[in-house]
Amino acid sequence: MTAAAPDRIRYGFGPHFRLYLGAAITACVIGLALLSLVWTPAPPAKMRIALKLKAPLEAGLAGTDQFGRDIFSLLMAGAWNSLSIAVVAIVIGVVAGVALGTAAAARRGLVEEIIMRFADVIFAFPAIVSAIMIAALMGSGASTAILAIGLFNIPVFIRVSRALAQRVWANDFCLAAQAAGKGAFRITTDHVLPNIAGGVAIQATVQVGLAILVEAGLSFLGLSLAPPAPSWGRMLSDAQTFLSQAPWMAIAPGVAVAVTVLGFNLLGDGLRDKFDPRTAGRV
Amino acid sequence: MPGILLRRLGSFVLTLFFASLLVFASMDLLPGNAAAILLGTAAREDTIAALEQQLGLDQPAYIRYLTWIGGAFTGDLGKSASYGVSVGGLIAERLAVTMPLAIMALIIAVAIGVPMGVMAAARWRQAPDRLASGFAQIGIAVPDFWFGLLFILIFSTTLQWFSAGGFPGWSDPAAGLKALLLPALALALPQAAILTRITRSAVLDVSGEDFIRTAQAKGLTESRILWRHAVRNALVPIVTIIGLQFSFLIAGAVLVENVFNLPGIGRLAYQSLSQRDLVVIRSVAMFFAGLVILVNFLIDLSYLWLDPRLRARR
Amino acid sequence: MNLSVALQSIVLSRWDGNRRTLVENIAFDVPQGTTMGIVGESGSGKSLTSLAIMGLLPTGMKASGVVGMDGTNLLDLSAEQMRKVRGSRIGMIFQEPMTALNPAMRIGDQIAEGLIAHRDISHSQARAEALRLLDRVHMPDAKRRIDSFPHEMSGGQRQRVGIAIALAPGPSLLIADEPTTALDVTVQAEVLALLGELIDDLKMSLLLISHDLGVIASICERTLVMKSGASVEAGDTVQILRRPQQAYTQRLIAAMPRRDDAGERSVPGIAPGEPPVLEVRQVEREYRSLSGQLLTKAVDGVSFSIRRGTIFGIVGESGCGKSTLSRIVMGLDRPTGGKILFDGEDLFAKTPRQIREARRGFQMVFQDPQGSLDPRQRVSQIVAEPLYLDPNAPKGKAREELVAETLRSVGLASEDARKFPHQFSGGQRQRIAIARALICRPKLVVADEPVSALDLSVQAQVLELIRDLRDRYGIAFLFISHSLAVVESIADDIGVMHRGRFVETGKAREVFRNPQDPYTQKLIAAEPRIDQPRRYGLVGGAASGAEVVQ
């Protein structure tokens, strides 16, 4: 492989291209979501039957839906909903997952075994399956989506933080801390957490993107936010009925989801390139 | 060697057991039981009680659990309240759609993802790598059900090559396969993107190992080094990811079946939710969880074959 | 076949167009049937030079100049032409025998595939040839071993496989990049003897790259000394080692650990009745399976004591139990038998809390200066960590002053307290680790391979610091190392450890001058030294070293 490799390492647009592009996309999406709280081109909930099913630029930037609502405004408001659900769910996953994962790394043996079995069990339930179970018990809504996505992310972060923490524990400075009389908990707070924070943050960025993807799926099935709150997934499910008459209804929300997820993924990859140069350009 | 097999089998059974407890506890023990949910808020006390008796809900919890789990082995999982047929039969019938769909999707994903990832790694930071990485980056971000909508828009509504959904049954296998092709493709594309990415990074990781340099120093051809040394040793992480992604494949199947109106298990789960049919939901959820656990168990076993170092460990 | 190298440069180009020259103006010849060594510290470019000859430089690096082999310049060859040269005309042996072999491929196949790549032979012929080669490298039980995986063998056996792979297509030049660095000293002697025997029998040339002057001296006729990508001096090995012309070479040789023969060091006097700082009595550490079956005895009845202001050295090969012993002495692991008396008090009779408090009196220095310092902490936090349990530890300004004073005592500046570990070199990092061990004025410091990861010149400075601290503060050291020379140069008393027990203890001088135990004798004989004549690969097979070892 080396034989055919070029003499110079070429990075298409510089080494941190992914980081900058990802940060730019993410900033745009977050900016539009925040803007939607105070201003949208048209009121997102307002039905204007006269303007129904208008193509993009005929009415509004991205056209209108079957009730004449402005699709671009709905997208902006939907961005806020989808981002907040994803972020809250990931926060749940990170807090519970890191606590359990670092505990597993600190206490080998039975505790670790129990935590990892627990992770295996939870991981066996795809978010959509647990969402269906939760919805059957307490109905659909934002909390159903948050619970389902958050639950699924707990084992993800248990595994990530355990693996990272084990690498920290393998260092002699943890042995030195033990020799200084520090217990497992103190070593975790003093040495392990500061050293895994970066890796967890990178993973969390990628998982937020993934959570947005899953949330779109849940709200497509009507398992997330109830109408009339705007949501990308439900816009897509509405669009299914009008696929031949108004294809833009299906295209715009899908592009919104894809671009947002792409932004978070690029940002995560870019951060990894920057802070973990060993894997730069490889992941 | 037999020891390690037994231990993995034990942990597989244990995980399965706890998963079933979790399903049972959340579906059967939490307040608001199946009968009340099924009948809705307006139902009278005595109708609920009657249905409870019919569904066996008046028995103690452990009896109900054992009946359910025992039924999983005999195929008798109780009767669906909304369909009025046996849940076991319902799942078996729907499996005839979901299983082929998932297998087709997996084959397509591996057939696209692995070669693309290997090619990207072999031509690191050159044009083929950029193309494959670009595909991976975008493919991961696009929701599979949206791919489904796009395919319907392009191939059904516009080009009219395929019907927009539905399933004609397996009486005509060709027609059945044709009906599953678009959904399988929609399901496979994001998976292929993830596999491309993982294969690429796994092969690149291995390419940095000392034994690759040894292979180069032997004067082996580039393709032999790539396949016999780099890819062979990258298989463990690749197979791991296929296992981890399996739950996303299931999630995707539920969505895609709904987009294409396919009578699969995913659609069954969704329909039972709108019917509030907890008896069905319980077994379908357990079925999915069991499938994920089984796949990860099989992947665990495949490590023993893929990595000779693990065979020796006790 | 003659190899004649005249590299103008090896340049690394970065994505932004920046270029860095890593190696410049290196020229040497390896005539047919001769042995040549390249010696240098890390970053000297010696490995890059060997990779450039093989055409295996990492992506982004380019060599210019001439690598002449029988009239062709290898640097001008196409990738495919170069592939045919690799293996068939130049064979290469790498440092780490574990990672240099494909873990998922049987070793017979790994040897055979090199043959198949260069010769027109069938699979079964290649396998027969692989078996012959395994016999040739003295692989015990080669018939069975041919179907083994690398992880099923010992380090020395793996390196024999590495040599068999390099030999397979019948090259006339072997390049060995630190081939014995990862091996124990007795295994190193066996591998060097094998290399010597092979190049003599097969009339091959050898280019050996090493950081170890002793290894170079034991096998190479001529030597090139490199430093920071440039050549320092070259010539006959004996000439270079005995009469170095350049200041750098002189410094390098002077930095080799050796005991000054100025006579017995005056050990500080001890008040009558004062107990030794550390007394280890019949300590055992067993590992048992869950069913109670005895798996191994990592430490098996070891006794010794260390007095104030002296250094006790433990020397032994990997797996001899020396690290387990150091963990037990530090109270990080419990012995299954025996006693540890610290200042006359039984360590393991105390409660865990008391053990932790007693630990303030003894501290630890580790091997890897990279991994022993938390990269996220400032030096001040790192150095002050042992004060954690001390209720009387100074706070605020006084603590800062204590940290600064401790840093100065190990030869660092007070301002270094604000920096992070990555801002220091390897030797400076080891000084920080020593400062951390010193801050609560311990009576004993356990140093587990403290200089093994350091370059020769840095190693000498750190050893000097340890001697200085011993004399200045009267600290006792338990000094653990695999290197005889290092232990000999620093220890007052030593214990030679083998399979969990001390095979020999006593005054360091006497043990080294007149070893009694056969294992100690074998160990001392196996150690390559620069004051001995070349002993491997001599014409006529006068492999004196091999005899001693077997």
Side-chain angles (χ1 to χ4, degrees), chain B residues 55-204:
Chain B
L55 293 172
L57 289 177
D58 50 346
Q59 286 174 314
Y62 73 95
I63 299 272
R64 280 185 279 147
Y65 176 73
L66 289 179
T67 320
W68 178 51
I69 288 301
F73 290 101
T74 57
D76 175 19
L77 292 166
K79 226 172 182 184
S80 156
S82 52
Y83 293 89
V85 294
S86 109
V87 175
L90 207 53
I91 289 183
E93 181 195 319
R94 300 296 185 99
L95 205 56
V97 176
T98 304
M99 221 51 195
L101 175 67
I103 292 173
M104 270 170 85
L106 205 59
I107 292 175
I108 297 173
V110 171
I112 298 176
V114 172
M116 235 166 131
V118 171
M119 180 191 71
R123 295 281 173 269
W124 188 41
R125 286 184 166 155
Q126 298 168 47
D129 179 22
R130 304 229 176 277
L131 238 91
S133 300
F135 161 75
Q137 200 68 264
I138 291 169
I140 292 170
V142 176
D144 33 26
F145 63 96
W146 190 56
F147 270 133
L149 284 180
L150 285 188
F151 287 164
I152 293 177
L153 188 60
I154 298 169
F155 297 109
S156 308
T157 319
T158 314
L159 296 173
Q160 311 239 320
W161 290 353
F162 293 85
S163 65
F167 186 69
W170 286 113
S171 52
D172 177 5
L177 280 178
K178 192 182 171 200
L180 290 185
L181 188 62
L182 283 187
L185 204 59
L187 201 50
L189 278 180
Q191 300 292 324
I194 291 168
L195 265 177
T196 302
R197 182 183 159 101
I198 295 303
T199 305
R200 173 179 177 273
S201 78
V203 173
L204 280 176

Side-chain angles (χ1 to χ4, degrees), chain A residues 7-8 178 181-182 191 195, chain C residues 15 60 356 359 371 374 385:
Chain A
D7 292 338
R8 183 142 87 83
Q178 254 175 294
K182 288 187 176 173
H191 295 288
N195 276 292
Chain C
W15 66 276
R356 278 199 261 165
R359 262 193 213 135
D374 187 339
E385 186 163 50

Side-chain angles (χ1 to χ4, degrees), chain B residues 283-294:
Chain B
S283 290
V284 169
M286 190 55 222
F287 173 78
F288 280 141
L291 208 57
V292 173
I293 296 170
L294 176 71

Side-chain angles (χ1 to χ4, degrees), chain B residues 210 214 218-219 224 229 233, chain C residues 83 99-100 102 110 113 118:
Chain B
D210 287 350
T214 308
K218 280 180 208 171
R224 184 168 173 95
H229 293 271
N233 281 282
Chain C
R83 180 185 74 72
T99 57
N102 184 340
Q110 299 197 44
E113 68 172 354
H118 294 289

Side-chain angles (χ1 to χ4, degrees), chain A residues 128-129 132 221, chain B residues 77 83 87-102 167 180 249-258 261-273 280-289 291:
Chain A
I128 212 158
V129 173
I132 288 177
L221 292 182
Chain B
L77 292 166
Y83 293 89
V87 175
L90 207 53
I91 289 183
E93 181 195 319
R94 300 296 185 99
L95 205 56
V97 176
T98 304
M99 221 51 195
L101 175 67
F167 186 69
L180 290 185
L249 196 70
I250 286 179
V254 175
L255 285 161
V256 167
E257 280 173 11
N258 277 291
N261 226 340
L262 297 175
I265 297 188
R267 186 141 179 84
L268 174 65
Y270 177 63
Q271 286 165 334
S272 321
L273 176 65
V280 176
I281 293 180
R282 166 178 90 171
S283 290
V284 169
M286 190 55 222
F287 173 78
F288 280 141
L291 208 57

